[in-house]
């Protein structure tokens, strides 16, 4: 039992959800370690959403709304922590959802698909034979993608990614949006928009931003994007860690 008045109760509850996701076959054991690395950065960021992250969230929502074929790529950690928000975001922006795993097993793919369907997803791509296309120049299991999904997407949303695929997707000419607490990671640097924040805070905020911007005209959305520079934003996230900005 986590006491409600524990100063870090939220963070401990998030851990519990991930461990529960591991026990239910959604999360890879390595996913628990990856989360620990994220926690360390979150601690340095003060475990709250920075103004810098809020700007990136707005830019991400604008980019997703401007995309013709956006796809949300889901791994084990994302399915365990934010299944509801993934489905909500897909509905808000009209995106497809695709399972894409680094530590790929059929059982885990299916468990993740079932979890997303349980939260109201209409369809989930990339499972089993569905992932019959390949991302060029990528040797990990993440190379297998759905020919109707990530393969033909113009924008791919990849929360908690490994740098290799983010770079390979960018080489394919796709826009890449990520959520990663580490502003120094290769994924953060390869992405077009990086939200340096915890998945559990960033996803609800992204859903809200997408819903708020949904009715806006293209020009307004383009203007938001034009005012955003990912490199500069990452630099400011580092400053936040150093205590320079909020
Ligand atoms: O489910 P699978 O098989 O696709 O595997 C998923 C993991 C996460 C195990 C796999 O993608 C992996 O090994 O990722 P990495 O290379 O460890 O990178 C994970 C990144 O996410 C790191 O930069 C962490 O700092 C960051 N991270 C971890 N937890 C969170 C996070 N960022 C935001 N929110 C989190 N909760």
């Amino acid at each position: 039992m986590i006491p409600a008045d524990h100063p870090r109760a939220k963070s401990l509850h998030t851990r519990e959800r991930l461990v529960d996701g591991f026990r239910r076959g959604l999360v890879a054991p390595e996913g628990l370690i990856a989360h620990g690395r994220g926690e360390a950065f979150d601690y340095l960021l003060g475990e709250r959403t920075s103004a810098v992250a809020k700007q990136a969230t707005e830019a991400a929502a604008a980019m997703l709304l401007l995309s013709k074929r956006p796809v949300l790529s889901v791994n084990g950690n994302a399915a365990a922590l934010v299944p509801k928000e993934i489905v909500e975001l897909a509905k808000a922006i009209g995106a497809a959802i695709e399972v894409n795993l680094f530590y790929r097993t059929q059982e885990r793919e299916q468990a993740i698909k079932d979890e997303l369907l349980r939260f109201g997803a209409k369809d989930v791509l990339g499972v089993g034979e569905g992932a019959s296309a390949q991302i060029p120049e990528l040797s990990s299991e993440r190379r297998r993608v759905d020919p109707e999904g990530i393969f033909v997407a113009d924008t791919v949303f990849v929360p908690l990614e490994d740098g290799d695929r983010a770079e390979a997707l960018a080489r394919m000419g796709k826009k890449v949006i990520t959520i990663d607490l580490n502003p120094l990671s290769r994924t953060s640097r390869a992405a077009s928009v990086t939200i340096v924040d915890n998945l559990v805070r960033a996803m609800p905020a992204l859903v809200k931003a997408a819903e708020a911007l949904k009715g806006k005209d293209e020009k307004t959305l383009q203007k938001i994007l034009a005012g955003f520079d990912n490199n500069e934003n990452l630099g400011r996230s580092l400053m936040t860690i150093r205590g320079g900005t909020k």
Side-chain angles (χ1 to χ4, degrees):
M1 255 297 271
I2 299 163
D5 60 351
H6 191 286
R8 301 194 52 256
K10 256 193 202 158
S11 169
L12 296 177
H13 278 298
T14 303
R15 270 192 194 177
E16 298 281 289
R17 279 173 61 190
L18 210 58
V19 170
D20 177 60
F22 169 68
R23 293 198 175 115
R24 290 190 296 127
L26 303 169
V27 176
E30 295 83 354
L32 302 175
I33 298 168
H35 184 75
R37 179 152 52 147
E39 275 186 352
F41 280 100
D42 205 13
Y43 191 83
L44 294 172
L45 284 159
E47 293 179 319
R48 62 193 164 78
T49 302
S50 66
V52 184
K54 283 183 191 153
Q55 271 175 17
T57 300
E58 219 190 18
M63 185 174 270
L64 286 168
L65 287 165
L66 283 166
S67 303
K68 300 269 177 292
R69 298 192 81 153
V71 175
L72 313 185
S73 177
V74 182
N75 66 12
N77 290 42
L81 293 179
V82 285
K84 174 172 145 288
E85 289 82 1
I86 289 166
V87 175
E88 284 172 356
L89 183 62
K91 286 187 179 158
I93 60 166
I97 301 177
E98 178 165 342
V99 178
N100 185 278
L101 305 180
F102 188 81
Y103 302 102
R104 195 176 203 115
T105 67
Q106 273 231 325
E107 292 74 22
R108 211 150 65 79
E109 274 175 5
Q110 192 58 50
I112 291 169
K113 176 175 179 172
D114 292 346
E115 182 75 348
L116 294 167
L117 293 176
R118 200 164 72 77
F119 277 88
K122 273 205 222 100
D123 193 15
V124 178
L125 304 173
V127 175
E129 300 299 309
S132 59
Q134 298 216 5
I135 300 175
E137 298 170 55
L138 185 65
S139 49
S140 78
E141 279 300 309
R142 280 209 197 274
R143 73 183 182 280
R144 296 181 206 284
V145 290
D146 200 301
E148 300 293 317
I150 290 173
F151 195 72
V152 290
D154 54 353
T155 304
V156 193
F157 175 65
V158 291
L160 262 80
E161 179 66 357
D162 66 287
D164 279 0
R165 186 175 65 140
E167 286 171 355
L169 290 171
R171 276 199 302 275
M172 285 173 87
K174 299 181 193 299
K175 296 197 173 92
V176 177
I177 300 171
T178 193
I179 298 174
D180 191 332
L181 278 159
N182 178 2
L184 297 166
S185 76
R186 259 186 318 136
T187 303
S188 290
R189 286 183 281 124
S192 323
V193 178
T194 304
I195 303 169
V196 180
D197 197 11
N198 197 318
L199 204 54
V200 299
R201 293 190 300 270
M203 276 303 289
L206 184 54
V207 173
K208 255 197 196 161
E211 278 164 356
L213 291 177
K214 206 175 167 180
K216 306 278 184 211
D217 57 35
E218 224 179 287
K219 229 172 130 189
T220 309
L221 299 176
Q222 296 281 15
K223 206 172 155 198
I224 292 172
L225 265 188
F228 180 82
D229 179 322
N230 204 46
N231 269 337
E232 191 202 324
N233 199 268
L234 288 174
R236 287 171 57 210
S237 291
L238 273 176
M239 290 287 286
T240 308
I241 287 175
R242 289 189 188 132
T245 59
K246 293 273 177 263

